[in-house]
Amino acid sequence: MLRSHLPIFAGIMTEKILILDFGSQYTQLIARAVREANVYCEIQPYHKPVHFEESLKGIILSGSPFSVNDENAPVVDVAAMNAKLPVLGVCYGAQLTAKLYGGRVEKSDKREYGRAFMIRQKEDSLLAGVSDRSQVWMSHSDSIKELPAGFEVLAVTDSIPVAAFRKTESGHPLYGFQFHPEVYHSTEGKTLIKNFLYTTCGCQGDWTPAHFISETVAELKKKIGDKKVIMALSGGVDSTVAATLISKAVGKNLFGIFVDNGVLRKDEFQQVLETYKVLDLNVRGVDAREHFYTKLAGKTDPEEKRKIIGKTFIEVFDHEAHQLTDISFLGQGTIYPDVIESVSVHGPSQTIKSHHNVGGLPDTMKLDLVEPLRFLFKDEVRRVGLELGIPHDLLFRHPFPGPGLAIRILGEVTEEKVTLLQNADAIYVNGLKQFGLYDKVWQAGTILLPVKSVGVMGDERTYEYTVALRAVTSVDGMTADWAHLPYEFLAHISNEIINNVKGINRVVYDISSKPPATIEWE
């Protein structure tokens, strides 16, 4: 069984901002904006008690899908928090603050959603460097109709009387924004957040990759000592960065296992092992392709294929782990969004992403978890990876599904189909790089369809497979639009695939967005 997570970050932070989550879809964006300003922050559900340790410099109250006037609306004691620290309420957080202090919050005459312009009414350090008429993003059905005594308006919009406000009474600053400064469409929102962090809360901005690495390695050395760590590596960003950090702390006492499950990209197994060698990671490569193909034989249901790959991986990992002795820790590349998504605002979630955690390990493996990236977002992981000297191509390659090409082969997975797809996909991805398009799309991949069609090559009639090319643009993968790749590029790739991959005679391009479609086909 896996024991509780190690407090790897204990003692690292010299300053911290706490974000109380009321269930807003934008809460993670607030955290990312704070981190981008080189200030460490954590998100916690609103109902958990706040620990006012010395490092805590301020509190941000998030938005929420609730109305403050709902019977079961989430509530916190804003006054008690503000008695100790500066507080900033965003949207719901601002409305809650106004209501708790005696203000009036009511349904808007019309729901305000989308772009608006914040018009400054008073000077304040929070608004320093921001235009008198600044574009902001609104998303609310309630409005603050009347501020409580002891508060004043800082800004309005053309349609609401209170867009930003502050408490005028003495004590720690208390602010509220009716809009969302954290989203892209609030053009000077990051400036507002930085003003709150640096001017209002007095943060110094010491959350940098170099600082994170030095402090984390020191903590890992302290916690692990001379004991041994085992870790499953995937060749992806998270596991590679996590392994490199652990290796810096314990050296050859990290035992990495990289399994070829038969559904990796073309030549990926060898390429990743070479990268690990350059990084001086102690990693064993395991060729388990035939074992996985045997398990997948005859299986066509996407979910069944996923489960088989997950279960078979655990079997292989367990077998390899038992070749080692005296292992005390299990390393993982868990990152902050995985941690956040596993906890609901209204209590623990029942579902944790299985592909981010080595779940289902046998009870005989009594290990402590060590997760050095547990409090980092993906973009921060990449920044740390660059600081560690990990190759750019590995850090910035497109997301790749845990079950690999198995869910890009619609229907049964066979070695023949995997080879076809690997060759076609390599032509597509390499072409994106050669044409300078790779970094302009969020994710790209090739899908092998379970249909054959008639074609003509020279004087011969063919009856071969069809592949679909997929490329999307996105910020976080939650929504995505199909990438508008140039026709000339698509024509070139189609010709390259058909001429060089025997068994494929037709190429199509997927122009579906998410929603309603998903990025992957299975």
Side-chain angles (χ1 to χ4, degrees), residues 113-329:
Y113 182 84
R115 293 176 179 84
F117 289 93
M118 180 186 74
I119 305 166
R120 186 199 307 265
Q121 302 296 295
K122 289 184 179 294
E123 294 299 322
D124 188 273
S125 60
L126 190 66
L127 304 181
V130 176
S131 308
D132 288 342
R133 187 177 174 87
S134 181
Q135 179 178 293
V136 294
W137 184 259
M138 296 287 186
S139 178
H140 62 96
S141 55
D142 289 345
S143 284
I144 300 168
K145 300 293 187 181
E146 186 178 322
L147 282 175
F151 286 73
E152 66 180 358
V153 175
L154 291 178
V156 301
T157 72
D158 291 330
S159 56
I160 62 171
V162 182
F165 65 82
R166 68 183 175 195
K167 183 185 71 175
T168 57
E169 297 172 350
S170 60
H172 293 291
L174 174 57
Y175 291 103
F177 292 142
Q178 178 66 85
F179 54 91
H180 288 275
E182 69 275 15
V183 305
Y184 172 79
H185 299 295
S186 291
T187 53
E188 296 176 294
K190 300 291 177 68
T191 299
L192 293 168
I193 290 173
K194 286 180 181 178
N195 287 342
F196 177 73
L197 299 175
Y198 288 105
T199 305
T200 306
C201 299
C203 293
Q204 300 301 308
D206 62 359
W207 178 248
T208 64
H211 175 263
F212 171 81
I213 291 168
S214 62
E215 294 289 350
T216 300
V217 170
E219 285 291 320
L220 288 167
K221 286 180 178 178
K222 180 180 176 183
K223 294 296 180 182
I224 299 171
D226 59 358
K227 294 179 181 178
K228 296 178 181 178
V229 184
I230 191 171
M231 184 170 184
L233 297 172
S234 67
V237 176
D238 303 334
S239 66
T240 301
V241 175
T244 305
L245 283 168
I246 296 171
S247 179
K248 279 189 169 293
V250 303
K252 299 303 180 183
N253 274 353
L254 169 66
F255 296 86
I257 296 174
F258 178 41
V259 177
D260 186 348
N261 58 12
V263 286
L264 301 175
R265 287 164 283 205
K266 185 178 181 179
D267 300 328
E268 183 173 17
F269 187 59
Q270 295 79 10
Q271 290 169 358
V272 169
L273 285 176
E274 281 299 314
T275 299
Y276 288 158
K277 188 175 180 180
V278 171
L279 293 172
D280 198 29
L281 296 180
N282 181 24
V283 179
R284 178 191 300 175
V286 181
D287 183 351
R289 289 175 294 176
E290 294 303 324
H291 186 51
F292 277 87
Y293 292 149
T294 300
K295 295 282 189 178
L296 288 166
K299 308 302 182 185
T300 60
D301 179 73
E303 190 58 29
E304 188 176 10
K305 289 192 290 186
R306 288 176 181 270
K307 289 179 179 178
I308 287 171
I309 289 173
K311 183 179 179 182
T312 305
F313 170 79
I314 290 169
E315 291 173 0
V316 174
F317 182 79
D318 184 43
H319 177 267
E320 295 298 323
H322 277 85
Q323 311 305 307
L324 304 169
T325 58
D326 301 324
I327 300 294
S328 301
F329 297 94

Side-chain angles (χ1 to χ4, degrees), residues 40 53 65 67 75 93 116-117 123 158 209 226 234 241 297 308 340 357 403 422 436 448 521:
Y40 180 73
E53 63 262 36
S67 164
V75 176
F117 289 93
E123 294 299 322
D158 291 330
D226 59 358
S234 67
V241 175
I308 287 171
I340 298 167
N357 299 283
Q422 284 177 332
L448 183 66
W521 280 39

Side-chain angles (χ1 to χ4, degrees), residues 468-505:
L469 305 181
R470 182 75 160 138
V472 298
T473 56
S474 181
V475 175
D476 54 15
M478 300 299 292
T479 62
D481 191 17
W482 62 276
H484 295 228
L485 299 179
Y487 293 151
E488 296 79 9
F489 168 76
L490 292 172
H492 170 77
I493 294 300
S494 176
N495 287 335
E496 287 293 299
I497 290 174
I498 292 170
N499 290 335
N500 291 284
V501 184
K502 184 173 175 57
I504 296 172
N505 69 355

Side-chain angles (χ1 to χ4, degrees), residues 454-475:
V454 174
V456 178
M457 297 189 74
D459 294 326
E460 295 183 10
R461 177 182 180 276
T462 61
Y463 190 61
E464 297 176 337
Y465 284 104
T466 300
V467 293
L469 305 181
R470 182 75 160 138
V472 298
T473 56
S474 181
V475 175

